[in-house]
Amino acid sequence: MIDALDRRIIAALQLNGRAPWAGIARWAGTSESTAQRRFNALRERRLLHVVGAVELDRTGGGSSMLVRVQARPGKGLELAELLAECPEARFLALVTGTADLIVDFVARDNEELLRLLYTDLPGAHLIAGTEHVAVIRTFSSAALWDTGLLPEQAVAELRPAQPPPYERVDWDKAPQPLTELEREVVGELATDGRLPVTTIARNLGRSESSVARALDRMVARGCLHFRTLAEPALLGYEAEFMLWLSIDPGRLEAAGRQLAKHPGTKFLAAATGRFNLVGHMVLPRRTDLFRYTDEVIGALPGLNGSDVTLHLVTLKGAWTRMDQFDA
């Protein structure tokens, strides 16, 4: 569906979804005009989109609850469509294995979570069972995943300098809420992460300088990232899966750090429940899962149990419908 140049452009955007076109073009090996034209073509084909997204633990924007859903027989697709329309659903995938769907719900507080999971859950009549795990610490973020398609020099140039989540020493500090202007800027970037500052300022009726300062502050604090949404298969990763691990409590930190460093780890977090380490992973081929299970999962300290749910299709990521990108 795409060629090597398209993949390099996507890889550069994955390093920094808001990187200047000059830098993207240089590492993609093409001209700025060609890079922009290819990007626009990928967007029009609904294969690629860039959005701005805040880090919940840094901003107090809510808490994440990962839900493993078992659908009634033959109702998985119908249920997925209903859940995808839920504004609190940040991520949604249809999977195979011990669950049929994986949903990441974000709620502001316990009252909203109670309403969402026990009162107003869309498609409740189509659900056979659920299991909830609350995210309590992030080891690796999807926005910071490196596709491995570009050299280390590209990472150093395109990606803002910041420690990986598992090396943060302030991960348990109180969040810093966004200001009114910062929330407005995030609202604009949630639709299009590459909107120019001039456009954002015009849409909000604000000055360009104030918008630029707000944007720079959020990026510098590490509370705003730019997600490049594209199917991993486009980049040569045919195996996409969620990994559910049970780790001895005293070894959770060590296991999280070890697994976060693996190049196939897109997202990894400590959680509550019988699965206390949960990840979103990719590998080049499904056959690689055998060696991964044996050598990567098997080598984790304190491992008591594991489960793998293979992705069939991702319907939603970063609150955005993956099949309904705005061109």
Side-chain angles (χ1 to χ4, degrees):
M1 296 178 65
I2 65 174
D3 62 18
L5 176 56
D6 289 327
R7 293 186 184 93
R8 291 194 297 272
I9 291 171
I10 297 173
L13 288 166
Q14 174 61 37
L15 292 174
N16 182 356
R18 204 172 169 83
W21 285 116
I24 294 171
R26 178 164 56 256
W27 291 108
T30 188
S31 66
E32 289 186 45
S33 59
T34 298
Q36 292 183 59
R37 186 172 65 251
R38 290 293 189 107
F39 171 78
N40 290 332
L42 289 167
R43 281 196 62 187
E44 290 170 1
R45 295 166 62 190
R46 298 182 176 178
L47 298 177
L48 172 67
H49 197 53
V50 177
V51 298
V54 295
E55 292 292 330
L56 299 177
D57 60 344
R58 288 181 180 264
T59 62
S63 57
S64 170
M65 180 71 71
L66 290 167
V67 183
R68 293 159 53 99
V69 181
Q70 292 177 321
R72 295 190 180 279
K75 300 297 182 179
L77 283 172
E78 182 181 351
L79 175 59
E81 287 295 334
L82 292 174
L83 291 172
E85 295 302 316
C86 182
E88 293 86 359
R90 177 169 60 169
F91 169 87
L92 171 63
L94 281 158
V95 299
T96 64
T98 53
D100 300 310
L101 297 92
I102 305 299
V103 191
D104 177 17
F105 287 115
V106 174
R108 291 188 300 270
D109 50 37
N110 284 343
E111 182 179 348
E112 184 174 85
L113 193 61
L114 182 67
R115 173 191 60 78
L116 178 64
L117 296 180
Y118 297 102
T119 305
D120 301 330
L121 184 63
H125 61 292
L126 303 176
I127 296 176
T130 61
E131 181 177 5
H132 314 143
V133 297
V135 172
I136 54 177
R137 182 187 174 184
T138 301
F139 286 100
S140 184
S141 169
L144 301 178
W145 178 58
D146 181 0
T147 66
L149 298 180
L150 297 178
E152 291 184 3
Q153 297 94 319
V155 180
E157 178 182 324
L158 296 176
R159 175 161 286 171
Q162 56 183 294
Y166 60 83
E167 290 186 354
R168 279 180 52 194
V169 296
D170 63 343
W171 63 269
D172 58 345
K173 288 187 177 180
Q176 182 177 349
L178 299 179
T179 65
E180 180 182 355
L181 174 57
E182 289 171 342
R183 289 195 300 271
E184 291 177 351
V185 172
V186 168
E188 293 290 312
L189 294 170
T191 302
D192 183 352
R194 293 193 65 84
L195 273 180
V197 168
T198 53
T199 303
I200 298 173
R202 184 172 62 251
N203 291 347
L204 297 178
R206 303 273 194 164
S207 69
E208 292 183 23
S209 59
S210 63
V211 168
R213 286 195 299 270
L215 179 56
D216 291 342
R217 282 197 307 269
M218 289 187 287
V219 172
R221 295 204 312 263
C223 66
L224 174 65
H225 293 299
F226 296 96
R227 287 287 311 278
T228 297
L229 303 174
E231 290 292 343
L234 295 177
L235 300 171
Y237 293 94
E238 298 174 3
E240 183 179 9
F241 56 99
M242 292 289 291
L243 183 60
W244 310 83
L245 303 174
S246 176
I247 305 289
D248 287 337
R251 310 301 298 277
L252 189 56
E253 172 83 16
R257 285 175 170 266
Q258 183 171 316
L259 191 55
K261 296 175 183 178
H262 189 276
T265 301
K266 291 191 66 178
F267 165 81
L268 185 69
T272 61
R274 66 185 176 111
F275 297 116
N276 58 358
L277 190 61
V278 181
H280 182 181
M281 316 301 196
V282 292
L283 293 171
R285 294 167 300 278
R286 285 196 177 184
T287 52
D288 294 329
L289 270 167
F290 177 82
R291 180 168 292 177
Y292 181 89
T293 301
D294 188 43
E295 299 178 359
V296 178
I297 300 177
L300 292 174
L303 179 68
N304 284 316
S306 66
D307 187 29
V308 171
T309 52
L310 280 168
H311 283 219
L312 296 175
V313 63
T314 301
L315 290 185
K316 202 170 184 180
W319 284 283
T320 304
R321 280 295 295 255
M322 299 285 286
D323 56 343
Q324 296 177 4
F325 294 154
D326 293 329

